[in-house]
Amino acid sequence: MNTLVVDQVSKIYGEGDQQVKALDQVSLEVASDELLLLMGPSGSGKTTLLTISGALLRPTDGSIQVGGSELTKLDDKELSKFRNDKIGFVFQAVNLIPFLTARENLLVVRSLGGGKVDAGAKKRAEELLDELGLGSKGDNLPSQLSGGQQQRVAIGRALMNEPAMLLIDEPTSALDSELGRQVMELIRDEVKNRDIAGIVVTHDERVLDFGDRIVEMVDGKIT
Ligand SMILES: Nc1ncnc2c1ncn2[C@@H]1O[C@H](COP(=O)(O)OP(=O)(O)O)[C@@H](O)[C@H]1O
Ligand SMILES: [Mg+2]
């Protein structure tokens, strides 16, 4: 249903002799209900692949389909709607809204997506905070949370609108083993229970058993 198909995608940053080929004809398919772990050294193109799959960046070449729609054919406005409606994205650098509490950071994406902050939304936010081990932190501002806690709020925010695809850059690097597993379990449950495609970029050997498949990137190519 919401399968992700990446077909012969290349990405070149910069111009002239400043050019960097971040992705070199990458092809990859992630089934709906599949959790893919993406590994590989720093600079190998993992974040670029995630960003292009999440419609935040256009490829230089190739095609991307999500649930059958071709992303490269959408104009900027359609792309931004697609992103808001369909994608749950967690960046490496957590970007919470600093003047909103943890709970409000979750609820605000409901209104941004055009939805209502009703009892259902509040229940979802509360459940996500609980499952992320943040049940008692709902009223805290980001500045009153540790790095790992902020990262978990960002994961809750990505899940809030029940996305059709989940793209997460290094969710467990700042977490101890138990929390890391708890967070991966939540991500895995979300992928399996709601039949969505998920990609998690990770270097964390401790969470490898949560993935259905592991793909490694080197120098902009899948090995
Ligand atoms: N916005 C950008 N402008 C220019 N080069 C970039 C940009 N983003 C990434 N790169 C380069 O593209 C390559 C792949 O980067 P990235 O996708 O961030 O890899 P990874 O996430 O695996 O560390 C690297 O050589 C990086 O320096
Ligand atoms: Mg990266």
Side-chain angles (χ1 to χ4, degrees):
M1 197 179 48
N2 284 309
T3 304
L4 165 70
V5 180
V6 175
D7 191 19
Q8 298 274 317
V9 163
S10 297
K11 177 67 188 178
I12 296 170
Y13 291 110
E15 307 209 325
D17 42 354
Q18 303 292 323
Q19 279 191 356
V20 177
K21 194 166 209 173
L23 295 179
D24 189 2
Q25 301 199 314
V26 170
S27 295
L28 177 72
E29 201 170 314
V30 187
S32 50
D33 93 341
E34 185 177 28
L35 182 58
L36 183 96
L37 300 184
L38 188 58
M39 302 190 80
S42 178
S44 58
K46 304 180 299 294
T47 296
T48 302
L49 179 59
L50 217 61
T51 313
I52 288 179
S53 302
L56 284 154
L57 183 71
R58 288 180 188 276
T60 308
D61 211 357
S63 98
I64 316 271
Q65 288 141 33
V66 179
S69 30
E70 173 59 57
L71 298 196
T72 51
K73 292 207 177 111
L74 303 182
D75 63 30
D76 287 351
K77 203 174 153 196
E78 292 166 330
L79 216 51
S80 123
K81 178 167 168 46
F82 171 85
R83 222 161 33 224
N84 285 330
D85 292 352
K86 303 274 186 182
I87 311 290
F89 208 121
V90 183
F91 298 90
Q92 247 168 317
V94 177
N95 50 349
L96 302 177
I97 300 173
F99 51 84
L100 298 182
T101 66
R103 179 182 298 104
E104 289 163 346
N105 264 283
L106 264 62
L107 291 172
V108 73
V109 300
R110 187 54 66 90
S111 6
L112 288 175
K116 262 209 189 116
V117 180
D118 54 13
K122 287 180 183 155
K123 183 160 170 278
R124 170 102 177 140
E126 231 47 61
E127 282 169 359
L128 284 169
L129 288 172
D130 265 346
E131 288 176 68
L132 289 160
L134 296 169
S136 62
K137 304 288 179 191
D139 292 324
N140 287 41
L141 293 169
S143 59
Q144 300 165 324
L145 297 170
S146 72
Q149 290 167 339
Q150 291 182 32
Q151 207 171 18
R152 278 177 281 149
V153 175
I155 292 169
R157 192 178 50 176
L159 296 176
M160 185 66 200
N161 281 348
E162 309 195 333
M165 186 159 71
L166 207 48
L167 304 167
I168 306 188
D169 218 345
E170 308 233 24
T172 61
S173 47
L175 305 179
D176 67 36
S177 293
E178 201 191 321
L179 263 177
R181 297 186 72 83
Q182 198 177 320
V183 163
M184 285 304 292
E185 238 160 65
L186 176 65
I187 293 168
R188 189 176 167 84
D189 282 352
E190 200 73 16
V191 165
K192 296 296 169 187
N193 297 340
R194 297 194 30 255
D195 275 338
I196 63 177
I199 302 182
V200 170
V201 171
T202 187
H203 287 111
D204 189 348
E205 306 276 339
R206 299 169 304 178
V207 304
L208 297 189
D209 46 327
F210 286 94
D212 296 307
R213 189 155 56 108
I214 299 174
V215 161
E216 179 152 19
M217 289 195 75
V218 176
D219 292 338
K221 290 192 172 86
I222 285 175
T223 60

